[in-house]
Amino acid sequence: MNSATSSINTDLPTAEVSHSVLHPDFIAREVARRFPIEGELTCFLLYRGMNDVYLVQDAKTKYALRVWRKTYRDVDDVAYELNFLDYLRQIGFPASVAVPQHDGALYFKVNSPEGERAIAMYDWADGVKFGERLSEETAFRIGAAMAQMHLHGNDWAGQDHVFSTDTAKDYNICMPALIDFVYDRPDDLRDYPIIAANLDKRLDELAASGKVPLGVCHRDFHPSNVHVDENGKITLLDFDAAGEDFMMQDVQNFVWGNLFYGFDPKIGEAFENGYESVRPFTQEEKDNKELFLMAKCFRLIAGMAHSSTAVGRGTLRFRNLDWLGDYVKTRARAAGLL
């Protein structure tokens, strides 16, 4: 297959692009010249979404290649995730990590119609999504792995590092898009800015207390972001949102995802029990579980609103916005944020 080419008609307006899709043939050529590939190389688009994922395979090995979507983040912010994953690789932690190029670099950049985009190729995570191989025993081990990852993150950051709440509050970047998203919902237009402002204050208060720890977090961990193979081996993946956040937010992200998918609540409980077998929660973390569940849902709405120009409004705008809004507001009121 060859990518389509055409001449430019200067009499026509030039379109503004929110999300282009790179042709698999282009990806294959770049991979072939940048990575230690063996034999014939194949490449095809696996998923188009928040980021685009390609399946790349040579004569011996299968890989997952990610092309990051152009967002408000600087293109080189991906280095945070990739460097942390490389540290996890060095200590033998079970995560899907970037494959180094010939020069040792973990990612490269290309020009696209919407601007520079970053690309990295990862080890293929064997197995299936946890949701396809549910068990409380596996959930316990996943929770323990998450806690171990947090402790490793502390080591990677260094004992003198002071964590910030800036990334934990990046829903604020998405607020203009969220307001546009709910333009015809007057209650949401009134309530969401109030929730965001009060959540800012609450998170800063929790951080200042020193009793609800921050750390290096996955920030989008849910049952589809961990694979389990037929022997029970787990692999954590999709760290593209990685950054500094509350550890309990990471935990409740998974618990919320479990509830959103409709899995038995015992799965979430087993995950939390596994986590506490490695790093017990503080009492203040336990007291704020509902706050972090609410924050997860609020982040999801804001983030999807911001991404809607690239992935569309349909998923939330026409199916789940009422349910999500009720979930957020009920807990915001209980927490004194609304």
Side-chain angles (χ1 to χ4, degrees):
M1 182 189 299
N2 295 314
S3 55
T5 59
S6 62
S7 59
I8 300 297
N9 185 337
T10 56
D11 293 331
L12 298 177
T14 299
E16 183 177 352
V17 176
S18 62
H19 188 130
S20 62
V21 177
L22 308 189
H23 198 285
D25 288 353
F26 170 78
I27 296 293
R29 290 194 297 270
E30 290 298 310
V31 168
R33 74 185 187 89
R34 294 175 182 271
F35 294 90
I37 296 301
E38 298 189 43
E40 184 178 354
L41 182 70
T42 60
C43 174
F44 62 82
L45 180 65
L46 193 60
Y47 303 115
R48 181 184 185 275
M50 303 296 283
N51 297 306
D52 299 332
V53 178
Y54 296 74
L55 191 155
V56 176
Q57 190 164 9
D58 66 13
K60 294 184 177 181
T61 310
K62 183 188 296 185
Y63 305 95
L65 181 142
R66 177 193 295 146
V67 181
W68 275 265
R69 184 169 50 89
K70 180 70 174 176
T71 70
Y72 58 83
R73 297 173 65 189
D74 184 86
V75 66
D76 290 306
D77 282 355
V78 301
Y80 185 95
E81 169 204 348
L82 299 174
N83 290 336
F84 179 51
L85 285 174
D86 194 54
Y87 174 78
L88 294 180
R89 176 192 61 79
Q90 294 173 39
I91 61 176
F93 183 83
S96 175
V97 302
V99 178
Q101 300 171 59
H102 289 303
D103 62 0
L106 297 175
Y107 72 101
F108 62 97
K109 296 182 288 187
V110 300
N111 287 317
S112 72
E114 62 269 38
E116 291 185 354
R117 296 173 68 182
I119 300 175
M121 193 164 74
Y122 295 78
D123 294 332
W124 185 261
D126 292 329
V128 298
K129 296 175 182 178
F130 172 59
E132 299 174 38
R133 197 163 271 153
L134 285 173
S135 80
E136 292 179 43
E137 185 274 335
T138 303
F140 184 97
R141 291 191 293 110
I142 294 171
M146 169 63 75
Q148 291 164 352
M149 187 205 79
H150 285 161
L151 297 180
H152 293 320
N154 287 342
D155 293 338
W156 179 67
Q159 62 180 2
D160 295 328
H161 181 76
V162 178
F163 290 102
S164 164
T165 60
D166 290 347
T167 310
K169 298 185 294 185
D170 63 4
Y171 50 80
N172 286 303
I173 299 172
C174 304
M175 285 302 296
L178 177 56
I179 295 305
D180 179 63
F181 198 70
V182 296
Y183 70 95
D184 59 347
R185 299 170 65 90
D187 289 351
D188 291 349
L189 289 171
R190 177 194 66 222
D191 294 340
Y192 284 153
I194 296 172
I195 293 171
N198 288 330
L199 183 58
D200 281 359
K201 296 176 184 177
R202 185 66 55 82
L203 295 179
D204 284 339
E205 290 168 359
L206 293 177
S209 75
K211 298 176 180 179
V212 183
L214 294 124
V216 179
C217 293
H218 185 288
R219 302 192 68 246
D220 189 30
F221 196 58
H222 54 74
S224 292
N225 278 345
V226 56
H227 278 192
V228 185
D229 74 9
E230 58 185 9
N231 296 315
K233 177 186 174 184
I234 62 174
T235 304
L236 280 62
L237 61 151
D238 285 353
F239 283 71
D240 54 295
E244 298 185 3
D245 210 329
F246 292 91
M247 296 181 186
M248 181 55 90
Q249 183 68 71
D250 240 9
V251 173
Q252 297 309 313
N253 287 352
F254 182 89
V255 173
W256 190 87
N258 177 72
L259 297 174
F260 186 75
Y261 284 128
F263 300 151
D264 191 323
K266 291 182 179 179
I267 297 295
E269 293 168 8
F271 173 82
E272 289 184 312
N273 291 337
Y275 187 97
E276 285 207 272
S277 72
V278 175
R279 189 189 76 83
F281 301 138
T282 67
Q283 185 58 50
E284 289 74 15
E285 284 181 301
K286 295 177 182 179
D287 292 343
N288 284 281
K289 282 185 180 182
E290 288 292 323
L291 176 78
F292 287 118
L293 286 170
M294 183 278 294
K296 164 59 186 175
C297 191
F298 187 61
R299 290 180 180 190
L300 176 68
I301 301 171
M304 285 300 296
H306 190 274
S307 302
S308 63
T309 58
V311 299
R313 293 191 170 203
T315 301
L316 295 183
R317 186 67 181 82
F318 302 110
R319 291 180 59 193
N320 296 319
L321 204 55
D322 289 336
W323 184 91
L324 292 166
D326 181 67
Y327 188 98
V328 167
K329 294 180 187 183
T330 297
R331 284 156 180 79
R333 292 188 183 98
L337 304 182
L338 184 62

